[in-house]
Amino acid sequence: MDSLNLMNISKKREESRFADLIDQAHANGCYTCGTCSGGCPLTDMESVQNERIDCRKALRMVLLGMEQELVDARFPWICTACYRCVAGCPMGVKLTDIWGRAKALRPRDQVPGVLHKGVESCLQTGNNMGIPTEDFIETLQDLAAELAEEECPGFKIPLDKVGADYLFFENSKEVFADYEDLKWWWKIFYAAKADWTTSSTNWESVDWGIFTANADASKEFARRKVENMKRLEAKTMILPDCGGASMGTRINLEKYFKHEFGPETGHDYVYFFDVLLKFLKEGRIHVDKAVHADRIVTWHDSCKHGRGPRLYWGDDCFQTARDILGYCFDMKNFREMPHNRMESYCCGAGAGNWPGPYQAEKTEHGRYKVEDIKATGAELVVVGCSNCRDQIMRNLKKAYDLEIEVKYIWQVVADALILEK
């Protein structure tokens, strides 16, 4: 390459909308070894071959001044931000940060599918589905009355309770349609005699901003959660079950609201895995292993509960999840997937791909997870993320003729609960 071309590339980098991120993400450290694209499920997917972009090429596009081509491409949107590329990079390049910037630079009226509408609905109404406060309260109270009659006498929703130990957020898809899914956590709180609350406003657990790389919206959703925690004087915020939501919320809490947490403030935040394991270890809830007797079971490590936190903050929920399963199953019937923990494959639903419009791509992406599930011979797949559960149960199961049952890890606990008479 001659000096004139080098000067042009240098000038383009200085003027680039990625200029600040090139340094922050260590992008100049790339020496095109291909480890990122070699470990990325998108690389050899037939449904993406017409675009001919992989991780390595996408990064070179930015470094060579072809940033608009990447902004206009489908690649950043079908990437599930599973962090396999980041985990494998020998130079520590934060590749998913680059794809995130490309998504952020896409005009909002050109964001694929319904993703931006989801952001706008959350900003305007406090939840993705636009459910009015009155309807939300009535739905929760009706379901609570059902649960009290069915299994948990005296159960009521502690709505807007001040001074509770735990603050819990609902996923709008459950409030809108999957009503019964709400009861599993309620049963656990009831059995544990937990002091908890939920807010009547801005209760949406999912961070739709992270799906579209809308940093301002993502920050606002985290701020609302913090505001609810402070308003209700709750001691501990439970991070959302949705992997992307927990990841997005924690990123913003650490970046903008860290001063709101710690012994001096009386506030803390934890993953729901930690809450479940605490209840089990302390004997606040008891489960009957016979409920799941002789079932061959496996566990899906979601990217945003495992690999993501490990890379960002040095911790993860890998072992915590398995410890919880140990209370519910005879672990001689537990089968690890061939690729697990840091090596786990994404189910194909991450970074907004479950509600996103690219059906063929997210289905083909999921074949890696399907192969791992089949290798275990498991009849029950347990998950810890709502998007992972929907992708495996409602898409991959049918697309690949999987003869399996899919359950949340808190559903498994709730099913096996021994409730006091």
Side-chain angles (χ1 to χ4, degrees), residues 222-421:
R223 187 200 67 78
R224 292 177 181 182
K225 288 180 172 66
V226 171
E227 185 60 33
N228 274 329
M229 179 187 69
K230 292 168 63 178
R231 176 176 63 86
L232 298 175
E233 301 175 18
K235 297 179 180 65
T236 303
M237 177 196 299
I238 301 177
L239 293 176
D241 65 90
C242 168
S246 64
M247 190 80 183
T249 300
R250 187 175 178 186
I251 286 172
N252 284 281
L253 295 184
E254 292 286 336
K255 188 173 182 180
Y256 300 109
F257 305 105
K258 199 165 186 177
H259 61 283
E260 301 287 1
F261 298 89
E264 65 280 1
T265 67
H267 299 303
D268 194 9
Y269 69 80
V270 296
Y271 284 94
F272 69 83
F273 295 97
D274 301 313
V275 177
L276 287 177
L277 189 57
K278 177 181 173 68
F279 288 169
L280 288 163
K281 278 186 172 181
E282 294 179 354
R284 295 178 61 178
I285 58 175
H286 300 277
V287 292
D288 181 4
K289 285 187 178 182
V291 171
H292 303 107
D294 301 324
R295 300 201 72 182
I296 304 300
V297 62
T298 190
W299 166 253
H300 163 59
D301 288 303
S302 60
C303 310
K304 308 301 191 300
H305 288 139
R307 191 160 42 236
R310 168 60 59 182
L311 292 170
Y312 269 74
W313 303 291
D315 56 55
D316 56 67
C317 299
F318 293 138
Q319 190 55 46
T320 310
R322 287 161 174 81
D323 289 344
I324 295 167
L325 293 177
Y327 281 89
C328 301
F329 297 93
D330 184 338
M331 293 303 277
K332 72 179 183 183
N333 295 323
F334 177 75
R335 305 289 184 270
E336 286 283 12
M337 294 190 194
H339 301 89
N340 60 77
R341 301 183 187 243
M342 286 297 286
E343 300 299 322
S344 176
Y345 277 114
C346 178
C347 66
N353 273 279
W354 172 245
Y358 298 115
Q359 180 65 29
E361 290 81 355
K362 70 186 176 191
T363 303
E364 187 179 4
H365 190 146
R367 78 186 190 276
Y368 291 92
K369 180 55 60 178
V370 169
E371 290 169 1
D372 270 6
I373 292 172
K374 288 182 175 180
T376 67
E379 59 185 280
L380 174 60
V381 179
V382 184
V383 302
C385 167
S386 55
N387 284 335
C388 295
R389 180 251 201 169
D390 287 349
Q391 163 78 337
I392 298 172
M393 182 177 76
R394 294 174 174 168
N395 185 23
L396 301 182
K397 183 177 175 180
K398 180 180 179 181
Y400 294 96
D401 296 321
L402 281 175
E403 296 182 2
I404 57 169
E405 185 176 10
V406 186
K407 287 188 176 185
Y408 291 124
I409 193 169
W410 56 92
Q411 179 184 359
V412 166
V413 172
D415 286 348
L417 275 175
I418 301 173
L419 296 173
E420 294 181 7
K421 299 294 184 182

Side-chain angles (χ1 to χ4, degrees), residues 32 123 202 247:
T32 67
L123 289 172
N202 292 326
M247 190 80 183

Side-chain angles (χ1 to χ4, degrees), residues 37-104:
S37 52
C40 174
L42 301 182
T43 302
D44 63 348
M45 283 170 45
E46 291 183 6
S47 57
V48 303
Q49 288 307 305
N50 61 323
E51 200 168 57
R52 298 186 181 279
I53 299 177
D54 59 30
C55 295
R56 178 169 53 176
K57 291 177 182 177
L59 183 59
R60 302 318 296 175
M61 289 167 74
V62 171
L63 294 176
L64 295 175
M66 299 170 62
E67 62 183 56
Q68 189 58 46
E69 286 88 335
L70 184 61
V71 171
D72 295 336
R74 190 176 38 161
F75 176 82
W77 298 92
I78 58 177
C79 166
T80 62
C82 73
Y83 307 112
R84 283 180 64 88
C85 58
V86 179
C89 179
M91 299 304 290
V93 179
K94 299 177 181 177
L95 293 104
T96 51
D97 289 1
I98 302 290
W99 322 153
R101 176 65 62 86
K103 292 173 75 170

